[in-house]
Amino acid sequence: MAGSLAALKSLPCPAGDRCTAFQCLFKHNTDIDSTASVIGSKQAVAPTPTASDPTPDLPRKRVKLDSARAAPSQQPATRQVELEQTTPERPQIKRQKLAMPSEEEPAKSGKAEPPLPVVRKLPSSVRGTGQSQSSSHKAQDSRDTPSTMQTRPIAKPKTLTKAIPNKPEVLNPRLLKSSPAQHDTRLKLVKALHEQYARLNSELKKEAKDEASKKLLLSEQELIVKTLDDEQEMAIKKYKIYNNAIRNRILACKRMTVAKWKEERLEATKATDAQETENASSAPKVIVTGLTTAQEVDFLHRLVSPLGGLTDFGYVASIPSDEDIQKARESVKASGNVEVCDRCTRRFQVFPGRREEDGALASNGTCTFHPGKTYFGERGLGKLSKAQKKYRCCHLNVDDESGGCTTAPTHVFKTTDPNRLASLLNFAKTPPNPNVPADRAVGFDCEMGYTTYGLELIRMTLVSWPDGEKLLDVLVQPYGEILDLNTRYSGVTPEAMVMAERWKPGDDHKPTSVPSTDSTKPSDQKEKLKLVPSPQAARDLLFSMISPDTPLIGHGLENDLNSIRIIHPTCVDTVLLYPHRRGLPIRNGLRVLMDTLLNRKIQIETDEDRPEGHDSAEDARAAGELARLKVRDEWCELMWRGWTIKDGEIVPPES
């Protein structure tokens, strides 16, 4: 490295005499006189070699001068040259030898060399005090802190969408927290085990004539991975008897015949194929219940959970009283509208109606956070390696990243207290509605956005069940000023809210069709949703289509019902139908349930860098399909117990 830097001293500086760089690595005209004066001064004070000196002609080490030891008359320029110089003879020979190829290679290859790096000019105060370049780099790095990420959000590289091949391993024991033997011992044992595996694999290759036998062969990299896997497993699970265990394995491989090795490989291949078959995606499953639509709706009432037992899961079973609502309002007023951000957990103050001084909606500046959920990436090589937990938005490790990758203009918050929710719009029970068909069941889903009053309703969708026909789909104007529409998940954009047609009582609420702008697909039409003036108006629309006996099907229905302030006694929640194996509050996601149970993909983003958000109609239909799958399974179990259908009704077996 030192020789490469010394070679630059023979090249003229690109900036010429105008160079102001501190300790420039290139050649200058002023270096000749300074170098001569320094060398002369060093030779004058150099001691005379004596007969007792065994190496009088060897070059001395580089002279390092300290600012405290330097002479008062010595200038910073002289000190700079002395730090760059080594011995007066040998370094000059090295520079000439290293400089020759750099001048002749462009002429032979005919290619121009890349431009030389330009050294930035430092302030005169830095040059005068002799501050090093490393400190300037540290100062530059200190400016790149998470606080400045608002100007350049981290984006996921496009190459991460493709499968990244694993780095090939070498025949070297893997690093363990507690090694059972020294590295040299483990290396010898690994090589001996690999030698036996390679011998058995080569003998099997000679006898492999059919395709089934050829599939049992291992490549060179697979042999290395198998050797390291087996050695690591014995080093961890058989720590105390590691030496005996691995030596017994090597001895067993020496005595193993090709037929025994083939049998062992066949068992390993079957286990791998079974795992791949289990993980392989198949065609979407078709749900056949064997019941009519009316019978399915009648059977659906068996899946309804009593409202009294749902309070532990976030449902509101009773209307808050006026006294409780007033206490909630007074507590908010006493706190000065100070909230905790739902994304970055920082405290801030919110200003409904905007702050008088500057019109701000929230305090404490911008919000830096990770908008994506977490996931586990691919496992590394080895049986005992663990997958890293990462963010979907930027694919950074959760343990390594403390800041965020996205910056929003304001902080946001949400509240789940029923009394505080009722202070904005009180809850209401579903009123009787004789105009609703008795055999109606609906899928229900809402989308919410952040306002100065918390998380409010901005879109409501209702679809019929089980056919999935859309009954109601409208945008909703919230009460508070909008802080963030949460487009990444809600799918509602500011343009859709601004350009939406205003709905009035008595108007048709159905969306209007907009012709497609794509000339290649003129038949495709988009729907333009209408904007309802308030959440209360949206609730009145919903009440006109359901009755207390109408089953509402959804995923996490308590969030949807609380956003529109409804107490409904007939709810079918797929979160409760398909609980997580670890229990609440952990839940199975709607997308995961559709993928694992029905092999259907929903909420697919074409561009992960710019997600379009969820479609509430798609989510409502998906929840309906999961409920229909549960109806089929429950009905199959009842038929096994003797239940039958007589005169179009489901009847129990005769006792």
Side-chain angles (χ1 to χ4, degrees):
M1 184 65 183
S4 301
L5 295 177
L8 298 177
K9 204 63 181 177
S10 63
L11 300 177
C13 180
D17 297 336
R18 296 173 297 174
C19 177
T20 57
F22 176 64
Q23 295 184 353
C24 182
L25 301 177
F26 297 97
K27 180 180 179 182
H28 298 81
N29 296 332
T30 58
D31 291 347
I32 301 175
D33 299 335
S34 302
T35 303
S37 61
V38 172
I39 293 174
S41 61
K42 291 166 63 176
Q43 291 178 348
V45 297
T48 303
T50 61
S52 61
D53 190 0
T55 57
D57 297 331
L58 292 179
R60 294 180 296 128
K61 294 184 178 180
R62 179 183 299 176
V63 179
K64 296 183 180 180
L65 297 180
D66 190 86
S67 57
R69 300 178 182 178
S73 61
Q74 191 175 6
Q75 297 298 327
T78 306
R79 176 178 175 268
Q80 171 186 348
V81 175
E82 289 194 23
L83 291 175
E84 291 295 329
Q85 296 296 328
T86 56
T87 57
E89 297 178 3
R90 294 184 65 180
Q92 187 64 25
I93 299 175
K94 291 184 179 180
R95 291 176 185 174
Q96 292 177 359
K97 291 183 179 181
L98 293 172
M100 290 175 63
S102 62
E103 297 175 357
E104 295 176 0
E105 284 177 2
K108 295 180 181 179
S109 60
K111 298 181 181 179
E113 278 192 347
L116 295 172
V118 179
V119 182
R120 297 181 181 274
K121 180 178 179 180
L122 295 177
S124 57
S125 59
V126 176
R127 298 194 304 269
T129 57
Q131 183 176 353
S132 63
Q133 290 183 349
S134 60
S135 61
S136 63
H137 291 313
K138 292 180 181 178
Q140 179 68 21
D141 294 340
S142 63
R143 293 192 291 269
D144 297 333
T145 57
S147 61
T148 61
M149 293 180 69
Q150 56 186 356
T151 59
R152 48 177 184 86
I154 301 175
K156 178 187 71 62
K158 296 182 179 179
T159 56
L160 290 176
T161 58
K162 300 181 181 179
I164 301 176
N166 292 326
K167 185 179 179 181
E169 285 195 291
V170 296
L171 199 61
N172 189 39
R174 295 183 181 135
L175 180 62
L176 302 176
K177 291 184 178 180
S178 179
S179 179
Q182 294 183 358
H183 181 270
D184 295 341
T185 304
R186 292 181 61 196
L187 181 59
K188 292 178 181 179
L189 295 173
V190 163
K191 289 182 178 180
L193 183 61
H194 177 266
E195 182 181 355
Q196 297 304 318
Y197 284 167
R199 179 186 62 81
L200 292 171
N201 189 67
S202 60
E203 292 180 1
L204 179 61
K205 186 176 181 181
K206 295 177 182 178
E207 297 183 4
K209 297 180 180 180
D210 54 344
E211 292 296 330
S213 299
K214 292 181 179 179
K215 291 182 179 179
L216 303 178
L217 299 176
L218 296 173
S219 64
E220 183 61 30
Q221 181 60 212
E222 291 173 342
L223 283 172
I224 295 176
V225 173
K226 177 176 174 55
T227 304
L228 298 180
D229 284 345
D230 294 347
E231 190 272 342
Q232 183 179 6
E233 184 177 3
M234 286 182 282
I236 295 177
K237 296 183 178 181
K238 301 179 181 180
Y239 179 84
K240 295 184 179 180
I241 57 172
Y242 166 77
N243 291 324
N244 293 336
I246 192 170
R247 284 183 169 88
N248 290 339
R249 176 60 178 171
I250 295 172
L251 185 60
C253 291
K254 286 183 178 180
R255 299 173 180 176
M256 187 180 296
T257 61
V258 180
K260 183 65 177 177
W261 173 256
K262 184 177 180 180
E263 182 180 346
E264 184 177 317
R265 288 292 307 132
L266 187 61
E267 293 179 1
T269 305
K270 287 181 179 180
T272 304
D273 293 343
Q275 184 68 23
E276 292 178 355
T277 303
E278 183 180 354
N279 297 334
S281 59
S282 58
K285 296 181 181 179
V286 179
I287 304 174
V288 179
T289 61
L291 304 174
T292 63
T293 301
Q295 292 170 348
E296 288 183 2
V297 174
D298 182 46
F299 194 91
L300 186 65
H301 286 81
R302 300 175 180 270
L303 305 180
V304 173
S305 302
L307 186 59
L310 298 179
T311 54
D312 296 336
F313 306 115
Y315 286 81
V316 178
S318 60
I319 300 177
S321 62
D322 295 338
E323 293 79 6
D324 294 337
I325 295 175
Q326 185 61 29
K327 290 181 180 178
R329 289 173 178 170
E330 291 176 356
S331 62
V332 173
K333 184 177 180 181
S335 66
N337 287 329
V338 175
E339 306 291 348
V340 177
C341 183
D342 189 35
R343 299 184 294 204
C344 69
T345 67
R346 294 180 62 184
R347 290 187 175 272
F348 71 104
Q349 188 177 10
V350 66
F351 307 104
R354 296 187 179 274
R355 186 164 54 185
E356 296 181 0
E357 299 86 57
D358 53 1
L361 295 175
S363 65
N364 208 2
T366 58
C367 177
T368 303
F369 63 104
H370 287 287
K373 297 181 180 180
T374 57
Y375 74 101
F376 286 94
E378 296 182 358
R379 284 181 50 194
L381 294 175
K383 296 180 181 179
L384 304 178
S385 61
K386 295 183 180 180
Q388 292 290 335
K389 192 175 183 180
K390 301 182 178 181
Y391 293 103
R392 292 191 179 276
C393 48
C394 59
H395 299 272
L396 294 176
N397 292 337
V398 175
D399 298 334
D400 299 341
E401 177 64 20
S402 58
C405 65
T406 304
T407 299
T410 60
H411 298 279
V412 295
F413 76 99
K414 70 175 182 180
T415 180
T416 57
D417 182 18
N419 298 327
R420 188 171 177 184
L421 293 174
S423 64
L424 187 63
L425 174 65
N426 203 355
F427 286 81
K429 295 184 178 180
T430 306
N433 190 351
N435 299 326
V436 177
D439 60 348
R440 170 176 286 183
V442 295
F444 183 55
D445 188 65
C446 294
E447 302 294 345
M448 282 74 77
Y450 293 102
T451 71
T452 53
Y453 293 118
L455 203 59
E456 289 195 66
L457 176 69
I458 57 176
R459 182 181 177 181
M460 182 179 64
T461 304
L462 203 68
V463 298
S464 61
W465 187 88
D467 56 1
E469 182 182 355
K470 190 179 293 186
L471 300 177
L472 178 66
D473 195 6
V474 293
L475 298 175
V476 182
Q477 181 66 44
Y479 287 117
E481 292 84 357
I482 297 175
L483 298 176
D484 191 347
L485 288 174
N486 203 21
T487 305
R488 185 183 186 93
Y489 297 105
S490 67
V492 180
T493 61
E495 294 78 9
M497 297 288 288
V498 172
M499 302 301 296
E501 180 183 352
R502 268 51 180 174
W503 177 87
K504 298 178 182 178
D507 295 346
D508 187 9
H509 59 76
K510 294 183 179 180
T512 58
S513 299
V514 179
S516 176
T517 57
D518 191 356
S519 59
T520 60
K521 299 179 180 179
S523 59
D524 294 347
Q525 292 184 350
K526 295 183 178 180
E527 291 184 343
K528 186 177 181 181
L529 305 181
K530 295 184 179 181
L531 181 65
V532 177
S534 66
Q536 185 174 3
R539 185 173 66 182
D540 295 339
L541 273 176
L542 179 61
F543 282 161
S544 66
M545 297 185 177
I546 63 173
S547 68
D549 297 330
T550 303
L552 276 183
I553 308 170
H555 188 78
L557 266 178
E558 78 281 1
N559 299 318
D560 304 324
L561 296 179
N562 293 345
S563 67
I564 201 171
R565 312 296 196 271
I566 288 180
I567 300 176
H568 191 73
T570 314
C571 297
V572 180
D573 196 339
T574 54
V575 169
L576 304 178
L577 294 181
Y578 301 97
H580 196 276
R581 60 183 178 85
R582 296 169 59 185
L584 291 172
I586 304 175
R587 303 183 175 193
N588 288 315
L590 184 61
R591 180 170 59 180
V592 174
L593 290 175
M594 289 295 291
D595 188 15
T596 55
L597 299 178
L598 296 176
N599 291 326
R600 301 183 187 180
K601 305 293 184 181
I602 64 171
Q603 302 174 359
I604 300 176
E605 298 291 353
T606 56
D607 187 1
E608 294 186 4
D609 293 334
R610 296 180 179 180
E612 297 178 359
H614 300 174
D615 184 0
S616 56
E618 181 186 40
D619 294 349
R621 294 189 182 100
E625 288 296 297
L626 292 174
R628 193 161 180 259
L629 178 64
K630 196 68 175 180
V631 168
R632 185 202 67 180
D633 296 341
E634 293 290 334
W635 170 236
C636 290
E637 184 177 352
L638 290 181
M639 285 193 298
W640 181 77
R641 295 179 180 179
W643 289 63
T644 57
I645 299 176
K646 291 183 180 180
D647 299 330
E649 295 183 358
I650 301 174
V651 295
E654 297 180 358
S655 57

